[in-house]
Amino acid sequence: MRYAILSDIHSNLEALTAVLLRIRQLRTDRMLCLGDVVGYNANPNEVMDILKSEGAVCIKGNHDVVASGEREPDDFSPLAKEAILWTRERLSYDGVEFLKHLPSEMEIEDFFIFHGSIHDTDRYIFDIQDVRDNFSMLDGLPGAPRIGFFGHTHVKTAYSLYRGVIAIEASNHILIWDDKKYLINPGSVGQPRDRDPRASFCIYDTKERTVAFYRVEYDIRACGDKIVKAGLPLRLAERLEEGW
């Protein structure tokens, strides 16, 4: 099985469209989204419609929780708060229901998908203690999955654990070893934050036992123009150009 794994699309229709074209070229079997379908950009309903039409398996991110009205954006930055309240006002009824009924995390085959940290949608995996904590929680899950795929940071990242030692896997093509565990972030489709503005995703091939990362160029200017036209903060458009 070849899984296309996406995260943090954030209502970016142009980026998602470009990524889907590349995914079709790569001949994948199933699409997974690690949350934050909406927020920041100007096409929330269109992005959700595409994910549904593609049969994507999605979990919810912190922006999805707030957009659907399950929680208020009290801990959001001013930019994120303005964008998510704009999004909430424009979601279709079907869009709200779609977001509300997404699970927070899920086990699939030999791997686990979640948004921020295991059992905590809002917590980031940034430092070594975050990584250790999540490897420990991965061990405690039913079935003890060997790989965890997560999002939230908008940064492509991969960690491995072997005999208690954590390493950063820097390659764009990772071989999955049976005696290691992994935490892998595919990066962000809709708002990358690693100084590379191209949309980011990965493919997990369960037969070949590999994870491969991909970057795709898209029409950033068109997406930014929509942000401005919608009355969203100009800074959101500028961040897309900067990859930050």
Side-chain angles (χ1 to χ4, degrees), residues 204-220:
Y204 175 36
D205 190 317
T206 61
K207 182 179 179 181
E208 298 296 327
R209 308 300 293 158
T210 59
V211 174
F213 293 94
Y214 296 87
R215 304 300 289 242
V216 179
E217 293 185 356
Y218 71 94
D219 194 341
I220 293 175

Side-chain angles (χ1 to χ4, degrees), residues 7-17 33 35-48 50-51 63-64 67 83-84 86-88 90-91 99 154 188-191 218 222-224 226-227 232 240:
S7 192
D8 297 277
I9 300 168
H10 282 299
S11 303
N12 189 329
L13 180 61
E14 286 72 24
L16 178 59
T17 301
C33 177
D36 278 2
V37 175
V38 301
Y40 292 127
N41 296 299
N43 290 109
N45 292 304
E46 294 86 347
V47 163
M48 283 186 284
I50 287 174
L51 292 175
H63 284 252
D64 305 322
I84 207 64
W86 179 96
T87 299
R88 185 189 284 182
R90 287 159 179 82
L91 285 183
L99 295 177
H154 297 212
S188 172
V189 170
Q191 196 197 73
Y218 71 94
C223 184
K226 287 181 182 178
I227 289 171
L232 287 161
L240 295 180

